[in-house]
Amino acid sequence: MPGPVEKYTALVIQPEVTLARTREDIALNIERICQLIDFGCGYYWEVPVRLVVVPEYFLQGVTTPGKGEHGLAEFMEKAISIPGPELDALAEKSRQYGIYIAGGGIVEVAPEFPDRWFNTAIVIGPSGEVILKYRKWHIPATVGLGTSPHDMIEDYGRTYGSTIQDLFPVVDTEIGKLGTMTCHDGCTPEVSRALAFNGCEVICHGGAIQEFEGVSRPWDFWRFTRRTRAHDNMCYLLASNWGQVNYAYYPKAFCPGHSMIIDYTGLVLREAEYPGEQVIAATIDIEALRFHRTVANHNCWADMRTEAFREIYAEPVYPQNLFPAGKPPRTLSEKIAGVKKSFERLYRRGQFTPPYPYTAADMPDLLERRISDAQARGVLRRD
């Protein structure tokens, strides 16, 4: 039987991100992350740092509709391979301090599918090796052109596997069982539930959560959903967001911080309640989490009664295989058009009721008209 997991310090880094245009531009963001790791590992010297979490798109940034929106070609200019030389500096920090580094939202090109990019999260171990790779599942149609495995589920499954363990990997380490999810994955229960199903104890959750999505009060969407993900799965959740961004077409506080460390009961241990750079830290006690899971009262997994809920997932909502091999998404308007099928299904089934005076049959066309109108006004790319 292995010994107990010693308590350790985890850092969540809330950096300033500069939007990269090429692979060479990545170096500026890497250098800043490494400096902040140096700061955190030095400042929290009494209980050693063993885990560092950085946000989505921490290397390359991302663009949204409007001025400055990138198409596929622009994203591919800054896409990298994993492993690759761009990650060497992070690997060296892992070896230097004996830490695990988890980061999400890397614009990754895979050799098996060189015509597109994936929104990829990784965990680098103390050896400097990438020990976990996860490709974002719930990619919103309105931000970024990354391919979800769901967009090419048949081709992806044949190449990488299609089991819940293949798609939502968890790695068993000396500091606990680590998994990752990215940004929009945390908006709904399924991805965190899949990670917990696979044994996850610490969810490393990188995000690039914008203010228009309700980061700050009064909506507070980012906080209450992530607290729920931690509570429901009895996991630590380390949530990292951008502090500020350098890009001509964004406000500096495009992503207004609010990075958090949440414990396995849903309690917020630390939070940076503001935009701007910051490093927050908390002590992670894996043995306390494991003991908590032995208690029958209010045990969110032991009380699961699954049989009645299978019908929810029996029929699909969002269409799979929209972008199979050879047909990557090229613009946001192309991706958004995929939501038309979701609307068709939701309204046809009566799960959504259309507003007056529309009928269920009208709803997919309403979205199409909005796309066309936005293109005509020049705020959504055509190609």
Side-chain angles (χ1 to χ4, degrees):
M1 177 183 296
V5 178
E6 297 292 332
K7 295 178 184 180
Y8 61 88
T9 298
L11 304 179
V12 170
I13 292 180
Q14 181 173 289
E16 178 178 334
V17 174
T18 297
L19 194 127
R21 295 188 179 275
T22 68
R23 286 187 294 274
E24 289 71 26
D25 294 339
I26 292 171
L28 181 63
N29 289 321
I30 284 280
E31 180 181 13
R32 188 60 185 146
I33 291 290
C34 288
Q35 289 169 339
L36 294 174
I37 291 173
D38 287 335
F39 162 76
C41 288
Y43 195 92
Y44 297 98
W45 56 269
E46 291 184 88
V47 179
V49 173
R50 298 303 313 279
L51 176 62
V52 176
V53 177
V54 296
E56 183 184 29
Y57 295 120
F58 72 99
L59 287 181
Q60 296 127 312
V62 69
T63 62
T64 54
K67 289 287 187 181
E69 178 187 338
H70 286 177
L72 179 62
E74 290 97 327
F75 274 103
M76 295 302 288
E77 279 292 312
K78 58 187 178 184
I80 68 170
S81 297
I82 301 173
E86 293 83 4
L87 298 177
D88 286 351
L90 289 181
E92 177 55 35
K93 288 299 170 190
S94 291
R95 289 189 291 266
Q96 179 182 353
Y97 294 116
I99 58 176
Y100 295 82
I101 300 175
I106 295 171
V107 178
E108 180 213 11
V109 60
E112 297 87 355
F113 300 106
D115 62 348
R116 69 192 62 227
W117 61 274
F118 294 96
N119 183 324
T120 302
I122 60 170
V123 176
I124 300 173
S127 68
E129 301 297 319
V130 174
I131 60 173
L132 180 149
K133 183 187 291 187
Y134 161 70
R135 294 184 174 119
K136 187 176 179 181
W137 184 258
H138 285 307
I139 297 181
T142 55
V143 180
L145 288 177
T147 294
S148 164
H150 185 262
D151 292 334
M152 52 183 308
I153 194 66
E154 293 176 2
D155 296 321
Y156 192 93
R158 282 192 292 267
T159 305
Y160 303 114
S162 57
T163 69
I164 196 168
Q165 288 81 16
D166 295 324
L167 296 171
F168 308 102
V170 171
V171 59
D172 192 356
T173 77
E174 61 188 336
I175 65 168
K177 296 180 179 180
L178 309 180
T180 63
M181 67 178 185
T182 308
C183 203
H184 197 57
D185 285 329
C187 296
T188 53
E190 286 77 15
V191 172
S192 59
R193 213 57 162 166
L195 292 171
F197 179 87
N198 289 333
C200 188
E201 296 169 322
V202 182
I203 299 176
C204 304
H205 181 37
I209 307 289
Q210 301 101 52
E211 185 58 84
F212 79 86
E213 294 179 311
V215 175
S216 302
R217 293 177 178 87
W219 189 5
D220 208 16
F221 158 80
W222 160 246
R223 180 197 276 195
F224 74 73
T225 52
R226 275 53 183 188
R227 289 187 68 184
T228 302
R229 304 292 92 85
H231 164 270
D232 287 353
N233 296 294
M234 298 188 291
C235 291
Y236 282 102
L237 193 150
L238 281 60
S240 176
N241 198 22
W242 295 2
Q244 61 187 47
V245 61
N246 295 313
Y247 187 46
Y249 301 104
Y250 287 168
K252 288 284 189 181
F254 171 71
C255 295
H258 289 259
S259 297
M260 291 173 286
I261 299 175
I262 307 168
D263 81 357
Y264 46 84
T265 69
L267 178 68
V268 178
L269 302 177
R270 296 287 187 276
E271 181 176 3
E273 293 191 280
Y274 43 79
E277 283 196 327
Q278 192 52 268
V279 177
I280 58 175
T283 300
I284 303 299
D285 189 342
I286 295 297
E287 295 301 326
L289 177 153
R290 292 175 178 176
F291 182 82
H292 177 73
R293 289 178 170 183
T294 72
V295 177
N297 185 46
H298 199 71
N299 192 305
C300 297
W301 268 90
D303 285 336
M304 285 183 66
R305 295 161 169 85
T306 60
E307 294 82 359
F309 304 106
R310 292 174 180 167
E311 191 175 343
I312 294 173
Y313 301 106
E315 295 293 331
V317 178
Y318 192 86
Q320 64 180 12
N321 288 319
L322 279 178
F323 303 109
K327 297 182 179 179
R330 299 186 178 279
T331 62
L332 288 176
S333 58
E334 186 178 356
K335 288 196 73 177
I336 295 166
V339 180
K340 286 172 56 181
K341 189 65 175 180
S342 298
F343 281 172
E344 177 188 322
R345 290 169 171 171
L346 291 168
Y347 284 101
R348 173 172 48 81
R349 296 171 190 166
Q351 292 167 296
F352 279 11
T353 300
Y356 180 84
Y358 297 103
T359 68
D362 295 328
M363 302 316 291
D365 290 338
L366 177 61
L367 177 61
E368 183 60 41
R369 290 197 299 273
R370 288 172 177 171
I371 293 171
S372 297
D373 179 65
Q375 290 174 332
R377 287 182 284 116
V379 295
L380 193 63
R381 283 179 64 142
R382 292 181 181 275
D383 51 36

